[in-house]
Amino acid sequence: FALMPIAERIMQKVHSFGGPDKYMELLSGQDKISAEEMQDTVAKYLKEQGIEDKVEIRVVESMLSTANVTSAGEGRYYVNIANGPVARTQVQGICDHEVG
């Protein structure tokens, strides 16, 4: 509970922008891509990195984040992508962070 005052301050700030959805819109813009477009972008990124044969891309329901990477064992990985729109401005950063 020591961090509760900080969390409350963050939530007050978010609400000063009109709530979570408006804050995210202001932060990331309105231009979104679909999960399928994100899947294609990740596939291209993996190919550019030369690791497309080591990674399976999955579109997943009910994720808390836009994307994550998990081990499939034996030097193989899953890139999990949330089944929902992704802000176009965040796509490159997601690829660099999760894969690169």
Side-chain angles (χ1 to χ4, degrees):
F1 290 102
L3 299 177
M4 188 62 79
I6 295 169
E8 288 173 341
R9 192 168 65 243
I10 290 169
M11 293 307 297
Q12 287 171 353
K13 190 68 164 176
V14 166
H15 285 288
S16 75
F17 285 96
D21 292 335
K22 185 65 175 171
Y23 176 78
M24 291 305 295
E25 181 181 304
L26 291 168
L27 180 68
S28 303
Q30 295 179 340
D31 189 16
K32 309 271 188 211
I33 66 170
S34 67
E36 291 77 21
E37 288 177 276
M38 183 68 180
Q39 187 174 17
D40 292 343
T41 301
V42 170
K44 181 180 173 188
Y45 187 90
L46 294 170
K47 188 169 186 164
E48 289 170 357
Q49 303 302 314
I51 58 172
E52 70 275 12
D53 59 329
K54 296 179 175 149
V55 180
E56 180 183 334
I57 305 167
R58 306 186 297 186
V59 176
V60 180
E61 297 289 335
S62 302
M63 287 184 48
L64 295 176
S65 61
T66 303
N68 65 38
V69 175
T70 58
S71 175
E74 300 180 18
R76 297 194 48 78
Y77 299 89
Y78 297 117
V79 173
N80 300 304
I81 299 169
N83 189 15
V86 179
R88 190 174 301 278
T89 58
Q90 294 180 343
V91 171
Q92 186 65 47
I94 291 168
C95 288
D96 292 340
H97 176 75
E98 296 299 339
V99 178

